[in-house]
Amino acid sequence: MLKPAPEKLAQRPEDDATDDRTRHASVPRLARLLWRLIDIAGTNRVPPLSDDVEPASIKAEFDALTRAAAKVEIAPGIELSRAFWTHADALHSRRAYAALRQLARKWPRGHAPQGFLTVFSPGVRGHLVEVAGAQELRVANRVQSFSFTGNPVKGPFLVMIVAGEYPEAHGYAPLRAYAQPIFSGHRFIPVNSEFERDVLRSVLRARPQLAQDGIDLLVEKPVFDHLTPAGPCRPDFLIEARSRKTGEIRQLILELLESSEPEVQQRDRLRRIAPLLTISPADREASNFAARLSAALAL
């Protein structure tokens, strides 16, 4: 069994990604890299039905992540796409390690050669990452995820694994992994609770009904903070609605109240972005969910 590897990641800092979570050492850098990739790929956004020409699928989501990897640097002059895989076989076959050995010859000094694997996982436990349609993967350190503490979140997960040089393996090995709960295998939208997953499901179900009324919805799950004059904040869900009849566009924030009232300061910041619609656990399966959205948007 591999011994735990030190917490060290060769990627460049995400100076352009504003997020209050990044000010805490407890947030893994691997998590921030995955969030950044999701944000660039746009898998945290659902386009309006009139624009959603490509059916949601796991292939389309991984294709979007792969394209986004070309826009992220993991070391000076080294794009993530040069050391990025989306199938567990890349590690099982050691193909990724062979590619890393080749890349290591041109890797910048002071940065450890590392590769990154992102996989869809039904579940994670301890050091193990379950992989749909493939043998599970073992990493040297326990898999990290905020979903293991406080309010547990079930799978599925989008898991990013970093592989690098590891003396115990006499070469390269999977070092660490971060598991981000997502909506489903067809939509890699991050969720932070089962409640968020339920609310998102209700929003997606409401889209066709609102479309019949001439309203198109773009749904976004922000993964980084929005900056406002009153300070940073992060909406639970941000909705942009467009009237097909008038062309008018309006925004709405879904504020999820699962256990306690949000801070007054946080609400003030959110209102600087858009009006709020509060959703409680009693509302998640409400039959009038589409009507509430329509009334709040007033289009």
Side-chain angles (χ1 to χ4, degrees):
M1 179 180 296
L2 297 177
K3 294 181 180 179
E7 183 65 29
K8 183 180 179 183
L9 199 60
Q11 80 213 47
R12 300 185 70 176
E14 287 80 50
D15 293 333
D16 59 334
T18 302
D19 185 358
D20 59 6
R21 292 169 297 186
T22 65
R23 291 192 281 270
H24 301 280
S26 60
V27 177
R29 292 186 67 187
L30 193 57
R32 298 201 298 270
L33 179 60
L34 179 57
W35 296 334
R36 188 181 180 197
L37 190 64
I38 287 171
D39 193 51
I40 294 173
T43 67
N44 59 324
R45 295 180 286 277
V46 181
L49 282 174
S50 58
D51 298 343
D52 200 0
V53 294
E54 184 177 13
S57 69
I58 193 169
K59 180 182 183 302
E61 297 297 85
F62 273 124
D63 285 348
L65 292 176
T66 299
R67 290 191 297 270
K71 302 176 183 179
V72 177
E73 282 193 345
I74 51 176
I78 304 292
E79 297 82 13
L80 173 59
S81 56
R82 297 177 65 184
F84 183 72
W85 297 270
T86 58
H87 197 286
D89 183 62
L91 296 188
H92 288 313
S93 68
R94 306 185 71 81
R95 176 165 48 89
Y97 306 147
L100 277 176
R101 283 193 292 271
Q102 291 292 325
L103 281 172
R105 301 172 183 174
K106 300 180 181 179
W107 212 271
R109 290 186 178 181
H111 294 259
Q114 293 180 333
F116 297 83
L117 173 74
T118 301
V119 294
F120 173 80
S121 172
V124 294
R125 62 188 190 282
H127 295 249
L128 298 176
V129 177
E130 297 176 17
V131 183
Q135 181 184 348
E136 62 187 13
L137 291 162
R138 172 178 285 275
V139 295
N141 291 270
R142 291 180 65 87
V143 179
Q144 293 178 297
S145 177
F146 74 86
S147 66
F148 299 156
T149 59
N151 185 17
V153 188
K154 300 176 184 177
F157 299 91
L158 188 63
V159 181
M160 177 170 273
I161 299 171
V162 57
E165 292 180 302
Y166 189 40
E168 293 292 328
H170 303 289
Y172 292 99
L175 303 179
R176 289 173 301 283
Y178 179 79
Q180 171 63 56
I182 55 174
F183 179 67
S184 72
H186 285 183
R187 292 199 184 276
F188 291 176
I189 304 172
V191 293
N192 298 326
S193 68
E194 290 300 321
F195 182 39
E196 283 196 359
R197 189 177 272 138
D198 289 343
V199 170
L200 180 55
R201 185 177 295 110
S202 295
V203 173
L204 296 183
R205 286 174 178 170
R207 285 199 312 157
Q209 185 175 337
L210 290 170
Q212 290 179 355
D213 296 333
I215 300 174
D216 272 335
L217 295 186
L218 182 150
V219 184
E220 179 181 355
K221 171 60 180 175
V223 291
F224 293 113
D225 284 353
H226 285 237
L227 292 178
T228 74
C233 63
R234 189 179 319 112
D236 292 321
F237 289 102
L238 182 60
I239 290 178
E240 183 175 283
R242 181 183 65 208
S243 170
R244 296 179 186 171
K245 300 174 184 177
T246 66
E248 185 178 1
I249 295 176
R250 292 191 179 178
Q251 286 190 322
L252 181 69
I253 287 174
L254 297 189
E255 179 188 48
L256 277 53
L257 298 185
E258 187 167 7
S259 56
S260 60
E261 290 286 326
E263 296 179 1
V264 174
Q265 187 181 52
Q266 173 75 355
R267 273 187 162 174
D268 178 61
R269 293 174 180 179
L270 289 171
R271 288 193 180 99
R272 301 292 184 102
I273 301 172
L276 307 183
L277 175 61
T278 300
I279 306 295
S280 70
D283 301 321
R284 72 175 94 184
E285 296 294 343
S287 58
N288 65 341
F289 194 89
R292 286 196 66 194
L293 282 176
S294 182
L297 290 163
L299 281 174

